[in-house]
Amino acid sequence: MAPKKDKAPPPSSKPAKSRGGKQKMKKWSKGKQKEKVNNMVLFDKATYDKLLSEAPKSIHSTNLIFFFFFIDACEHDWSVRRLYLENGEGLRFREDESEMEKQMKQREDIGVAQESTFLDILQGSNSMFEYNVWVLKFEANMQKNEQAERICNSVNKKLDCVLSLPSQFSIFRVHNELRKVNEKAYEPHIIAIGPYHHGKANLQIMEEQKLRYLKSYLQRKGDNVQRYVVAMQALEEETRRCYAELISLNSDKFVEMMLLDGCFIVELLRKFQREYLREKNDPIFGMDWICNSLQRDLLLFENQLPFFVLCKLFDMIEVPNQHHRFSYLALRYFGDILPGCGYGEKADGGSQYKINHLLGLVHINWLPSFSALKPDGDVADKKEDWRFIPCATELREVGIKFEKMQEGNFFDIKFRNGVMRISPLTIEDRTESFFRNLIAYEQYSDNSQFKLITDYVKVMDCLINSPKDVELLCRHGIIDNWLGDAEAVSAIFNKITDSVTVLPNNYFHYAGVFDKVNTHCSKRWNRWMAKLRRNYLNSPWAIISIFAAFVLLVLTFIQTVVTIKN
């Protein structure tokens, strides 16, 4: 039996290992590699048509995500690049040249820059590094665009929420710089009027009294509350526009607040004038402290209801179109809180200025006639020269005397021949709050000539620096101190104008008086005479001694002359 022959192994496709030295591998020519790449089919007809139709949209829009995928394909496959370059004009525009120019003008600058950069990379360098740099720049540019778009959207939303500034704002909150000097002066003690202090726990004592006043009126008239609610609903939008801050109360609560607060004020004024309308054991008129606190709270700058709401309710409760009658009742009610002489002849508030609320009514009627608001003296040409005056004790040292003005308006301050005449001022517990809220009202007024109370308070602030100044003015009858403490009065006027804008210009009502006083103080003769009177003529005995010395001096001189002649 013949021996079996080993079967030869099948030929291997792998090249045989070289036993001695390295065997050189066969290389593909560059031409064949390029031919293979060029002949590769990456797109079918549907995909190719989609590419031609979608590429221009991606290029000219801000969302160019397609670029990343397309460039990546071009980097790895030259057939895609060649396909794009051969059909570049078709990818850009298929319109004629005039239409192309029109569209290029409409494209955003960023789109033009991105397209140009993209084509430069495709047609220019084959470097992967340059491509990566362009991608990083593109991503950074896209992030900036997205950030700008987010910021624009955020700002536009905020702008849409901003309300236009209407001219009818008349009830404000006191700003923090003015409030922090004495916050209690602007806060109500027992009653909340309007929305700013509505619902506070410490003011609920008067909410039941508001309901009681409304109920007693409806029972007395046999009327229905629905008629008044409908009237307040008609004024709701106009009333909301009077408040400078956004009101959080819904429509029902806001209309209810208008009705209760307005009816309470109207009934309070009517009952104050007519005692027969008062109920038996009414605590408001039975306790003086409640009446005093109500007068104070109803004249707070933030604690107000628009005047037209009160007039509307007064028309419905009493007589239509008799607003001057309502103003008269209000002025009579607040007469006790005034620190000086009473009202002028403008019971209806005058015709030159609109009445916004009760505080504005008192303010307008307490001022003198508007023809008297012209500054005392012509200081228009030298407004930069005048300055504030020294305190009362320093003025006395230069010979200025103080006298109480018996007649004239409360705000009249006169200076003539070294004598300053001032109307008497009563200081009590409510005076500081009253002055501060009137000053706040004037600070929010756009009329510079409307700030007479601020100017008057500044004059008193200049005159009073210490308790000695208060005592000096009290001795001359200018200040009637019901607080009993000169230091307390001094503290009031030393801080009352803090954070208050007082400009030394020609609209400062007492600029002429200040100029005359400073001129008097600057003369040496006046200072010398004042020093003589203060040091040597300050008592009757000093005057007798000086007179005796003068007589003795004259007799001695006569005797000397006679002796010489003899």
Side-chain angles (χ1 to χ4, degrees), residues 34 38 41-42 59 127 134 139 143 178 200 204 359 370 375 381 411 508 511 529 544:
K34 186 175 181 181
N38 292 339
V41 179
L42 297 179
I59 291 175
S127 172
W134 183 88
E139 290 178 347
Q143 290 178 358
L178 189 59
K200 289 187 176 181
Q204 296 304 309
L359 181 64
F370 291 98
D381 297 333
F411 298 97
F508 184 68
M529 291 301 298
I544 294 174

Side-chain angles (χ1 to χ4, degrees), residues 336-405:
D336 295 340
I337 198 174
L338 296 181
C341 53
Y343 302 101
E345 299 178 356
K346 306 184 299 300
D348 59 347
S351 58
Q352 299 187 20
Y353 293 94
K354 178 183 177 182
I355 300 176
N356 297 318
H357 37 65
L358 291 177
L359 181 64
L361 175 68
V362 172
H363 177 271
I364 290 176
N365 283 271
W366 196 28
L367 296 180
S369 60
F370 291 98
S371 60
L373 287 177
K374 185 177 180 180
D376 184 11
D378 185 12
V379 295
D381 297 333
K382 48 185 178 181
K383 60 183 179 181
E384 69 276 3
D385 296 333
W386 75 271
R387 60 190 184 279
F388 293 119
I389 59 177
C391 63
T393 53
E394 293 181 5
L395 292 179
R396 183 188 59 177
E397 292 177 357
V398 295
I400 294 179
K401 299 178 180 180
F402 295 92
E403 291 183 1
K404 181 176 69 173
M405 186 177 294

Side-chain angles (χ1 to χ4, degrees), residues 450-498:
F450 204 52
K451 302 178 180 180
L452 180 58
I453 294 177
T454 303
D455 295 346
Y456 173 83
V457 171
K458 188 59 184 178
V459 174
M460 301 306 297
D461 181 27
C462 291
L463 293 176
I464 299 175
N465 280 346
S466 65
K468 292 182 178 180
D469 299 318
V470 177
E471 294 172 356
L472 174 62
L473 296 177
C474 288
R475 286 197 300 268
H476 291 87
I478 296 175
I479 290 182
D480 185 11
N481 185 7
W482 287 22
L483 298 179
D485 186 3
E487 186 174 356
V489 176
S490 174
I492 290 175
F493 284 100
N494 287 339
K495 295 182 178 180
I496 198 168
T497 56
D498 290 355

Side-chain angles (χ1 to χ4, degrees), residues 152-257:
C152 289
N153 293 335
S154 176
V155 173
N156 287 331
K157 290 180 180 179
K158 293 179 180 179
L159 293 177
D160 292 339
C161 297
V162 174
L163 300 176
S164 59
L165 187 61
S167 59
Q168 61 266 31
F169 279 169
S170 58
I171 304 176
F172 302 83
R173 279 192 182 272
V174 180
H175 58 273
N176 291 332
E177 291 298 322
L178 189 59
R179 176 185 292 273
K180 68 182 182 181
V181 179
N182 187 354
E183 186 172 0
K184 293 182 179 180
Y186 308 100
E187 295 288 334
H189 287 172
I190 62 173
I191 190 171
I193 300 295
Y196 286 158
H197 299 280
H198 181 77
K200 289 187 176 181
N202 62 318
L203 304 177
Q204 296 304 309
I205 183 175
M206 294 302 298
E207 294 302 315
E208 183 178 355
Q209 196 67 23
K210 293 177 184 179
L211 293 172
R212 185 178 293 111
Y213 269 38
L214 177 60
K215 182 179 179 180
S216 65
Y217 166 73
L218 294 176
Q219 290 178 350
R220 186 170 64 248
K221 297 285 290 188
D223 205 346
N224 194 310
V225 72
Q226 182 177 1
R227 187 166 67 97
Y228 301 91
V229 171
V230 173
M232 293 298 99
Q233 285 178 330
L235 299 176
E236 179 187 359
E237 292 300 324
E238 185 179 0
T239 303
R240 284 182 180 270
R241 289 194 295 268
C242 293
Y243 293 94
E245 295 193 6
L246 186 64
I247 306 303
S248 60
L249 296 176
N250 58 32
S251 180
D252 294 347
K253 293 291 185 181
F254 191 81
V255 172
E256 179 182 341
M257 176 209 69

